[in-house]
Amino acid sequence: MLQYVSKRILSLVLVLYIVITATFLLMHAIPGGPFTAEKKLAPEVLRNINARYHLDDPLWQQYTDYMGNILKFDFGPSFKYQDRTVNKIIADGFPVSLQLGSLAVLLAVAFGIPAGIIAALRHNRFLDYLVMSSSTLGISIPSFILASLLIYFLAFKIKLFPAAMWNGFSYMILPSISLAALPMAVIARLMRSSMLEVLSQDFIRTARAKGVGQGLLIYRHALKNSLIPVVTYVGPMAAGVLTGSFVVESIFNIPGLGRHFVTSIYNRDYTVILGITIFYSALIVFFNFLVDIAYVLLDPRISLDKKGEN
Amino acid sequence: MSFKKFLSLLIAITLTGAFLTGCTSTGNKDSSDKPVRFGQLGEPETLDPRKATGQPEGQFLLQMYEGLTAYDADNNAVPAAAEKWEVSADGLTYTFHIRQNAKWSNGDQVTAQDFEYAWKTLLSPEIASRYAEMLFYLKNGEAYNSGKVKAEAVGVKAVDPNTLEVTLEAPTPYFPQLTACYSYFPVHKKTVENNADRTANPETIISNGPFKLTAWSHNEKAEFVKNENYWDAGKVKAKKLEFSIVESNTTRVSLFENDQIDLTLDPPPSDVERLIKEKKAEITPHLGTYYYSFEVEKAPFNNPKVRKALTLAIDRSAIVKEVTKAKQIPAGAFVPLGIPDAAKGSDFRNIGGDYFKDNDIETAKKLLAEAGYPDGKGLPPITLTYNTHEGHKAIAEALQEMWKKNLGVQVELTNQEWKVFLKTCAAGDFQIARDGWSADFPDPMTFLSLFVSNNGNNHAHWKNAQFDQLVSQAKTTTAPASRVKIMHEAEALLMEEMPVLPIYFYTMTYMIKPNVKGFVHTVTDYIYFKEAYVE
């Protein structure tokens, strides 16, 4: 286990190094910079700004400076939000996205898994068709449409929830449903197909023949085995949902991290682009690590240290 | 976790949610203390007046700080922190007298030194303010910013705590208007001097305006309370302002219609017509022009006749009625409505009138033939470039169709991401490009000086010695009547040469609850909440 963990940490460093370098180079390759404005700045004004943010240094030096600062966990100042640092922007936005995202992940898992199981157990019957057709809807309706529909019916028409903003629990319901719909549908489908596969296997038949009841059969024998594809999906999905979504955060005006992923690129806010890319990559690597651990817990045949020996 | 546990957790969550929703709807209903709730257009980049560059910052700063002057509802500069001022005969020296009773939010006296300090630090190369150019009107402002002279040489001096003497590079008759802009606001020298970060947070900001900021949660909301130390506090009616920071225009409409805000602006164009019909919104002029630039250095647009032909052959009334739909004003010239002319109460645009007729296909055809391209024959391929945006696309497509139908001219459309587009425009790497200009203060000069040779925003790359001459003449003329006359001449020349194709003058749509009273907004869409209140 220890050996495995150290290997993963090493690969995390390598992944982050590649991500940072690629992002850094791509970002500087896009035409226009953080201070390309509609009202063009006077040359001397631009010179002062470039000097202040060290943008007049050669690119390799900016790169090595940046790498040095990252080792100190200093992501630098935002170019757009002049009085805020990237660390502060992440510290402000991430807890909000995390709250909202956790609720969405919870909803997706809590409804997706049972729905998939029910569909598998009622294979080719009404409930199966119901779950599958609603999951097709969940996958194909974009979140901004779903969000608008939810606002229209649940905020305007029956005035159950606020239309937008972020002031407590009631403000979290509509955005978390909008965020959860897609992963919920995907989970239901994955769960259904892997459950069907497991149910057709020999050990299930054996268990049935031995007289194990339906509930126990599903819970103890089939569920664990069929969760593997779902867990594989939930890991990176959770990393994505927890860091927020541009669309949902814009529509509901939620002060999360998600919108910075898009606006920082429009603004060419170099430090913010890099900072949140690094943050997101680290989170994805971490969640994949959790997924690997979950594999071991779910299936004793999988071992993290020894490869190729089953 | 078992499914039962999952399920019970979910039920618990749902019930808590319902409970909380129930609570939020029962607020206190004391009408006299109602806060004014405003839907703010975006997150301020900073709250340091010296570093601010745009609308989101201005909207905050205008409530928190006060300049020497402020705008009234007719866009005139009126006394604010200064009770009066004098101008020297040559128009180069302004002496502002700051009110004895002007106070900072901590009770300190607002002094001339505070202004001097703020202006000089704004211009310093170290602060690297993005709006430094706003203070290049001061003598040696530009020289100090580019490191050529010391701070002492800049033309602003506190003669005594109540007297500020300002020396300018050139006579600038609209200087009192400029001092109403946030770039000219003071900062509390004593606290900011050794710690510039004190301008960043509600806990440490000391300001001199009608309200003080008490809370600011980024990208979400801000709260202001009345500043009891403000010299004119008697006129401030609202005890509290609540700003919701909402970037998405559809979300602003949602919040307004769901009674979460009382006042906001700029809804999506598709909603404007309905909102007006339901009496929820009104439209006012906005100080800006929507236009296209011709790259005049390359054929065929090096020929003014071709430029003119394309300009005349479009139907602006149809565009504003069918495409943009927010009652924009079809432009027959370049300088928009809303700028005072020389005579009191008159408007520069109305005095100048239109320089061309809208949808004048006959003349357009004639001009195109005279240029050697009868019915568009012989024209090289033409491409129109705009920045990626639904609204710009719709207008570009309308133009494409009109030119084809009216002149037989075939135009291709292409679009680019915003900052890529800005690069393209600056480099002149286009034939026809979408363009627009909104002013920071109401004077024709902000629009006309765009087209001086070598101005960085002159995307047409049009150069005309006579025009340059007229603009610099207007800049040094102090008598209002003759100055305005020269500017009318300059605009006439611009419209004769037509390096740009004006389409419409912007408007702004305000969504206002009927019980919101007393606020003043400028033609540049800054709102003064000083005397605002909710009935």
Side-chain angles (χ1 to χ4, degrees), chain B residues 461-482:
Chain B
H461 297 96
W462 178 67
K463 293 186 174 74
N464 185 302
Q466 198 193 341
F467 184 83
D468 291 357
Q469 160 72 27
L470 284 169
V471 169
S472 64
Q473 202 184 332
K475 277 185 173 168
T476 50
T477 307
T478 46
S482 36

Side-chain angles (χ1 to χ4, degrees), chain A residues 33-34 38-41 44 48 53 79-80 82-84 92 160 163-164 166-167 169 251 253 268, chain B residues 13 17 20-21 43 45-46 51 127 130 142 145 218 220-221 245 251 258 260 417 419 438 457:
Chain A
E38 184 167 23
K39 297 189 178 174
K40 206 175 170 209
L41 298 173
E44 59 266 44
N48 289 336
Y53 291 104
F79 294 158
K80 163 103 176 153
Q82 300 177 48
D83 296 329
R84 297 165 76 187
D92 283 344
L160 205 54
W166 189 250
N167 265 335
F169 192 78
I251 293 179
N253 204 49
R268 307 285 193 275
Chain B
I13 288 172
L20 287 173
T21 332
E43 163 84 358
E45 290 178 10
T46 171
K51 297 194 278 185
I127 276 209
R130 296 162 202 190
E142 189 170 0
N145 187 248
H218 293 295
E220 189 189 357
K221 61 189 172 191
I245 303 168
T251 306
N258 211 34
Q260 288 175 261
E417 189 264 354
K419 291 215 174 189
S438 286
N457 291 301

Side-chain angles (χ1 to χ4, degrees), chain A residues 53 77-85 89 259-260 263 267 269 272, chain B residues 42-46 57 130 216 218-219 247:
Chain A
Y53 291 104
S78 161
F79 294 158
K80 163 103 176 153
Y81 301 110
Q82 300 177 48
D83 296 329
R84 297 165 76 187
T85 61
I89 287 178
R259 63 170 90 189
H260 292 293
T263 52
N267 297 331
D269 199 342
V272 177
Chain B
E43 163 84 358
E45 290 178 10
T46 171
E57 293 90 83
R130 296 162 202 190
W216 178 22
H218 293 295
N219 295 95
E247 238 144 77

Side-chain angles (χ1 to χ4, degrees), chain B residues 323-349:
Chain B
V323 183
T324 60
K325 292 185 175 173
K327 296 207 162 57
Q328 288 89 348
I329 301 141
F334 189 73
V335 179
L337 281 156
I339 300 177
D341 203 84
K344 206 169 163 50
S346 63
D347 190 288
F348 184 85
R349 178 71 285 124

Side-chain angles (χ1 to χ4, degrees), chain B residues 371-420:
Chain B
Y373 309 107
D375 295 320
K377 287 188 190 75
L379 272 173
I382 298 171
T383 305
L384 184 156
T385 314
Y386 59 92
N387 58 302
T388 315
H389 183 277
E390 277 309 305
H392 301 327
K393 183 176 170 216
I395 294 174
E397 285 172 347
L399 257 57
Q400 183 185 37
E401 201 187 305
M402 288 170 184
W403 283 328
K404 192 172 171 213
K405 198 179 104 209
N406 300 342
L407 296 178
V409 173
Q410 191 77 39
V411 174
E412 296 295 320
L413 305 183
T414 174
N415 65 90
Q416 295 176 340
E417 189 264 354
W418 177 232
K419 291 215 174 189
V420 178

